[in-house]
């Protein structure tokens, strides 16, 4: 434990653990051994003391009366939430006894780890756990639920997760937030944009919903879901035609610009307007802004990549800064992510060599429902941590049916008895990030930060690394890698000569300074990590991989005959399902709503605030209608993953497809379709107006 935990009172440095690009520096106030207040660290170079409500209210989550304090064993039917406390010795013994039997009878691939980044600490999310499951020979999880489609698309253009330094936003004259509700999900990018606006910069937001960021904008441009690549191609058409293109930059730093110029002629303004819902006049005005204002910056969001064509959409937008030569201008360029600058030695931390040439199967996490129900050979045990698939995974009804299997031995390691944990055979209490040693690398700014324990573990809770050390010992794994301490693994992570940006960073430096910035590395000081060494407007590698070599608009896959495009986006006070069980956050967010265009509502005879039933072939939800002009006709948007509460039907990922996106195995949450109908009150219950029996 750190020296911080020994001090009952004081103020201690920390870092926000949430899956958020900002990764704020924090200051924790402790009295009588408990954290009583969370503040932003005013000395952090990027986040500068400003934090969101989510982490500000973290003490209520840490000391919630429903937090788990001891291991539990199921004592009732699956999903009933009936458990009895057991010791850690009993829990580890039960798990490893079951797994040894499964390995002997069905093979190690009958066991599947299922996790994501509920805690963004590297050791908590991808450290000792990876070592353990590699050594075990378990099935491997393809962790593709969030940003992979867009990352693959961006990499085809730029060669890696490298973008503009967000601190340079203050020099931008035009800032475009494209498919990102940054006010709720990247607040410090907004703060930097606001500083630029005070110096005359314009802020444009392109999105399917006029959310908090759209309201903030100087100009909000609504777009039909899944048409972002068409809009980008239409802009290219005008940029080339109106001679806004920087030919000198294109000749020196790109490949394929002449082919691209010819290719985009088919994306004329009238064609693009019909596809996107953006008027010809708006398209021309946006192109004139982007072509005429420099430096210009595009913040590419997560939202648009959660479509069937999401990878191509990001790949296409990533070409725009090259056309006008923005990359050489301070405050110009784009950010999809910046994790490439902080790439640590993953092999040293995760030890894939422990697989020892085992050809274990890989299961895409977006299709966990199918895998639990139909995988051959079957998944007989699953270990869930840092994640809540019963609420978060697509095709939720299918997922929950899979979790109900009596022959599935389910273990969940979490702070709370989540919707997923309710189906578990064994539940293990997890520490919060403030009880752990860990390090964090932002995927937006260029700083890495360390977390040393500030408080003692809550009850009998244990960290992910500690749990997997216990499991390794009980399984009889004798390799030294399972004896490494958390600090050992941090040292190994920063011993990474392949990334010169980390050359001056190590454990001791982080302990002294709390955070450190990756060394500056100009994108164009040498060749880019693409096959050509340049920005690839035309990518032969894409062609070899079965994609069009040039950016191309590919329509969404048909999702049935339901009339509304459905986009279940994030809200302001939850982060996926995190905080949806906290009364304060629920109060702040109020109620789950479905945003509808007023013309659609009029046709459906739905008034603002009335309850509606939304459904498709996957399931149904009952939500409150929010009627207005914040979405285009034919589009329906929800915000937030609400808890599975008795008497409600508000799990919106019940309705989302588990199809795989065009690139990287990514999710297609936003490419579903739904039908909508008004509900009426009968006997005190909301009932579907057209289908009352379906309640």
């Amino acid at each position: 434990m750190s020296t911080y935990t020994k001090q009952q009172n004081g103020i201690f440095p920390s870092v926000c653990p949430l899956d958020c690009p900002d990764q704020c520096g924090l200051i924790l106030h402790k009295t009588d051994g408990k954290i009583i207040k969370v503040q932003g660290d005013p000395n952090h170079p990027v986040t500068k003391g400003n934090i969101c409500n989510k982490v500000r209210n973290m003490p209520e989550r840490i000391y919630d009366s429903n937090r788990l304090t001891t291991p539990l064993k199921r004592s009732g039917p699956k999903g009933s939430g009936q458990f009895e406390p057991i010791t850690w010795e009993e829990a580890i013994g039960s798990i490893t006894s079951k797994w040894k039997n499964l390995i002997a009878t069905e093979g190690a691939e009958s066991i599947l780890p299922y996790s994501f980044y509920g805690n963004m600490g590297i050791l908590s999310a991808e450290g000792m756990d990876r070592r353990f499951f590699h050594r075990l020979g378990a099935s491997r999880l393809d962790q593709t639920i969030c940003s992979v489609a867009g990352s693959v698309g961006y990499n085809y253009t730029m060669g890696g997760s490298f973008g503009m330094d967000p601190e340079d936003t203050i020099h931008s004259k035009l800032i475009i937030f494209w498919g990102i509700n940054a006010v709720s999900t990247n607040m410090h990018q907004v703060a930097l944009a606001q500083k630029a606006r005070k110096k005359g910069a314009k802020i444009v937001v392109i999105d399917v919903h006029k959310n908090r960021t759209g309201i903030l904008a100087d100009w909000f441009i609504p777009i039909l879901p899944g048409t972002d690549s068409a809009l980008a191609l239409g802009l290219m058409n005008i940029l080339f035609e109106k001679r806004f293109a920087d030919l000198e930059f294109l000749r020196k730093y790109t490949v394929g610009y002449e082919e691209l110029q010819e290719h985009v002629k088919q994306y004329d303004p009238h064609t693009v307007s019909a596809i996107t819902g953006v008027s010809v006049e708006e398209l021309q005005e946006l192109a004139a802004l982007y072509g005429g204002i420099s430096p210009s910056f595009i913040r590419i969001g997560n939202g648009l990549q959660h479509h069937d064509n999401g990878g191509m959409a990001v790949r296409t937008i990533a070409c725009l800064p090259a056309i006008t030569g923005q990359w050489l201008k301070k405050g110009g360029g784009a950010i999809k992510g910046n994790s490439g600058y902080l790439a640590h030695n993953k092999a040293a931390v995760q030890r894939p060599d422990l697989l020892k040439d085992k050809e274990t199967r890989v299961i895409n996490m977006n299709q966990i429902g199918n895998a639990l129900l139909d995988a051959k050979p079957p998944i007989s045990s699953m270990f869930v941590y840092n994640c809540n698939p019963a609420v978060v995974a697509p095709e939720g009804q299918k997922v929950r049916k899979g979790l109900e299997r009596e022959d599935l031995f389910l273990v969940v390691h979490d702070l709370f008895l989540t919707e997923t944990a309710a189906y578990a055979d064994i539940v293990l209490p997890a520490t919060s990030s403030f009880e752990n040693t860990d390090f964090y690398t932002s995927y937006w700014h260029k700083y890495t930060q360390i977390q040393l324990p500030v408080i003692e573990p809550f009850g009998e809770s244990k960290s992910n690394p500690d749990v997997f050390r216990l499991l390794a010992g009980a399984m009889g794994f004798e390799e030294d890698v399972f004896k490494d301490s958390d600090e050992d693994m941090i040292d190994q992570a920063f011993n990474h000569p392949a990334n010169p940006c980390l050359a001056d960073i190590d454990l001791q430096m982080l302990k002294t300074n709390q955070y450190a910035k990756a060394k500056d590395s100009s994108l164009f000081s040498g060749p880019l990590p693409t096959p050509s060494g340049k920005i690839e407007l035309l990518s032969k590698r894409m062609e070899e991989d079965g994609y069009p070599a040039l950016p191309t608009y590919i329509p969404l896959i048909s999702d049935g005959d339901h009339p509304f495009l459905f986009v279940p986006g994030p809200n302001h006070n939850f982060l996926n399902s995190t905080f949806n069980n906290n009364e304060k956050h629920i109060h702040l967010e109020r109620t789950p709503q479905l945003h509808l265009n007023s013309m659609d509502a009029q046709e459906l005879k739905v008034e603002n605030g009335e309850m509606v039933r939304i459904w498709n072939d996957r399931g149904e939800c009952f939500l409150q209608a929010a009627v207005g002009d914040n979405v285009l006709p034919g589009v329906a948007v929800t915000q937030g993953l609400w808890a599975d509460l008795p008497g409600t039907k508000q799990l919106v990922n019940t309705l989302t497809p588990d199809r795989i996106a065009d690139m990287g195995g990514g999710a297609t949450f936003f490419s579903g379709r739904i039908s909508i109908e008004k509900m009426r009150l009968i006997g005190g219950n909301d009932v579907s107006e057209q289908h009352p029996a379906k309640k």
Side-chain angles (χ1 to χ4, degrees), residues 9-329:
N9 304 288
I11 299 174
F12 305 92
S14 184
V15 53
C16 178
L18 299 177
D19 187 358
C20 169
D22 297 49
Q23 203 161 95
C24 299
L26 303 178
I27 292 174
L28 307 181
H29 296 251
K30 192 167 73 164
T31 299
D32 296 331
K34 293 181 65 174
I35 295 170
I36 61 166
K37 186 177 181 180
V38 176
Q39 288 183 306
D41 179 356
N43 296 316
H44 191 283
V46 179
T47 61
K48 296 183 182 296
N50 298 313
I51 57 174
C52 71
N53 271 336
K54 303 180 190 76
V55 70
R56 181 178 290 110
N57 294 312
M58 192 70 86
E60 294 188 23
R61 176 175 170 81
I62 295 171
Y63 301 112
D64 192 303
S65 60
N66 291 318
R67 189 167 165 194
L68 298 172
T69 60
T70 184
L72 303 173
K73 182 177 181 179
R74 180 164 63 91
S75 59
K78 281 212 168 186
S80 67
Q82 297 176 41
F83 295 90
E84 60 184 29
I86 57 174
T87 66
W88 270 100
E89 185 178 8
E90 290 174 304
I92 296 297
S94 295
I95 296 167
T96 53
S97 174
K98 180 68 174 181
W99 283 356
K100 287 175 182 178
N101 183 60
L102 283 174
I103 291 169
T105 57
E106 300 181 29
E109 284 186 307
S110 64
I111 302 166
L112 174 71
Y114 193 97
S115 68
F116 205 62
Y117 290 89
N119 180 339
M120 284 294 291
I122 300 300
L123 304 188
S124 296
E126 51 183 73
M128 193 63 70
D129 57 317
R130 303 297 174 90
R131 296 182 182 192
F132 176 80
F133 287 114
H134 286 150
R135 171 64 176 81
L136 192 72
S139 292
R140 286 178 287 161
L141 187 73
D142 200 6
Q143 293 184 303
T144 55
I145 204 166
C146 186
S147 60
V148 66
S151 295
V152 172
Y154 188 89
N155 289 1
Y156 277 129
T157 301
M158 298 297 296
S161 186
F162 303 100
M164 187 184 97
D165 188 333
E167 293 179 82
D168 288 342
T169 303
I170 59 173
H171 303 292
S172 304
K173 297 300 183 187
L174 175 67
I175 298 157
I176 300 176
F177 290 103
W178 198 322
I180 179 172
N181 184 6
V183 169
S184 298
T185 65
N186 192 189
M187 62 176 284
H188 295 92
Q189 181 66 82
V190 175
L192 291 164
Q194 291 281 46
K195 288 184 178 180
R197 179 150 69 174
K198 288 179 180 178
K199 296 191 292 183
K202 292 184 179 296
I203 297 177
V204 176
V205 172
I206 302 168
D207 213 322
V208 301
H209 176 216
K210 193 172 185 179
N211 47 42
R212 291 173 186 246
T213 310
I215 292 168
L216 168 92
D218 297 305
W219 182 19
F220 172 71
I221 302 173
I223 186 173
L224 289 171
T227 65
D228 304 272
S229 53
L231 179 59
L233 289 160
L235 290 174
M236 294 179 201
N237 173 295
I238 299 170
L239 292 171
F240 280 118
E241 183 182 326
K242 301 296 184 181
R243 299 189 178 182
F244 287 122
D246 185 336
L247 295 180
E248 183 179 350
F249 181 91
L250 289 169
R251 291 189 189 102
K252 186 173 182 180
Y253 294 106
T254 75
V255 294
Y257 81 90
E258 291 173 319
E259 293 89 338
L260 180 63
Q261 183 174 4
E262 185 64 28
H263 173 70
V264 298
K265 288 179 179 178
Q266 64 187 294
Y267 296 99
D268 62 272
H270 290 281
T271 298
V272 169
S273 179
I275 294 170
T276 63
V278 178
S279 71
V280 170
E281 294 74 22
E282 288 175 315
L283 183 62
Q284 291 173 333
E285 183 180 350
L286 180 59
L289 275 179
Y290 190 71
I293 298 178
S294 184
S296 60
F297 161 55
I298 302 175
R299 177 66 171 102
I300 307 172
N302 263 8
L304 55 93
Q305 72 188 331
H306 287 159
H307 285 293
D308 298 306
N309 56 15
M312 183 63 83
V314 174
R315 183 274 196 277
T316 305
I317 295 167
C319 294
L320 284 168
I323 292 172
T324 59
Q326 294 303 311
W327 284 113
L328 296 184
K329 298 167 184 177

Side-chain angles (χ1 to χ4, degrees), residues 250-510:
L250 289 169
R251 291 189 189 102
K252 186 173 182 180
Y253 294 106
T254 75
V255 294
Y257 81 90
E258 291 173 319
E259 293 89 338
L260 180 63
Q261 183 174 4
E262 185 64 28
H263 173 70
V264 298
K265 288 179 179 178
Q266 64 187 294
Y267 296 99
D268 62 272
H270 290 281
T271 298
V272 169
S273 179
I275 294 170
T276 63
V278 178
S279 71
V280 170
E281 294 74 22
E282 288 175 315
L283 183 62
Q284 291 173 333
E285 183 180 350
L286 180 59
L289 275 179
Y290 190 71
I293 298 178
S294 184
S296 60
F297 161 55
I298 302 175
R299 177 66 171 102
I300 307 172
N302 263 8
L304 55 93
Q305 72 188 331
H306 287 159
H307 285 293
D308 298 306
N309 56 15
M312 183 63 83
V314 174
R315 183 274 196 277
T316 305
I317 295 167
C319 294
L320 284 168
I323 292 172
T324 59
Q326 294 303 311
W327 284 113
L328 296 184
K329 298 167 184 177
K330 199 173 186 65
I335 297 176
K336 164 64 174 69
N338 270 324
S339 58
Y341 296 107
L342 293 169
H344 61 278
N345 191 338
K346 286 193 173 186
V349 175
Q350 299 181 14
R351 296 302 299 267
D353 57 296
L354 292 168
L355 280 166
K356 296 181 179 177
D357 300 321
K358 302 183 188 82
E359 293 186 4
T360 53
R361 65 180 170 181
V362 177
I363 291 174
N364 188 301
M365 71 185 306
N366 296 306
Q367 298 184 320
I368 188 60
N370 284 333
L372 287 173
L373 295 174
D374 300 322
K376 303 297 182 197
I379 297 169
S380 296
S381 181
M382 189 160 75
F383 190 108
V384 177
Y385 55 105
N386 283 345
C387 199
N388 185 12
V391 173
V392 175
E395 288 246 28
Q397 196 160 283
K398 195 185 293 183
V399 175
R400 291 184 287 279
K401 186 177 179 181
L403 294 173
E404 287 175 353
R405 282 175 37 206
E406 283 294 335
D407 62 340
L408 175 72
F409 181 69
L410 178 64
V411 182
V412 176
H413 185 211
D414 208 300
L415 280 74
F416 296 94
L417 196 64
T418 63
E419 289 87 349
T420 303
Y423 295 97
D425 296 281
I426 300 289
V427 180
L428 305 175
T431 50
S432 73
S433 65
F434 302 149
E435 299 153 45
N436 299 340
T437 297
D438 216 327
F439 77 102
Y440 293 77
T441 57
S442 172
Y443 50 90
W444 169 64
H445 61 64
K446 295 185 177 182
Y447 291 84
T448 182
Q449 304 175 74
I450 193 168
Q451 174 70 63
L452 298 176
V454 174
I455 53 176
E456 298 285 353
F458 189 85
E460 297 178 25
S461 60
K462 295 185 184 296
S463 69
N464 285 354
D466 281 345
V467 169
F468 288 106
R469 290 187 188 99
L470 287 174
L471 289 169
M475 290 296 296
F477 298 167
E478 296 180 350
E479 291 87 347
D480 288 340
V481 297
F482 297 110
K483 300 172 186 174
D484 285 342
S485 70
D486 296 336
E487 291 195 354
D488 289 335
M489 288 192 287
I490 295 174
D491 268 331
Q492 293 158 10
F494 286 106
N495 183 9
H496 194 34
N499 182 7
C501 296
L502 299 182
D504 298 330
I505 302 174
D506 59 22
L507 172 64
Q508 192 54 51
M509 178 191 183
L510 289 175

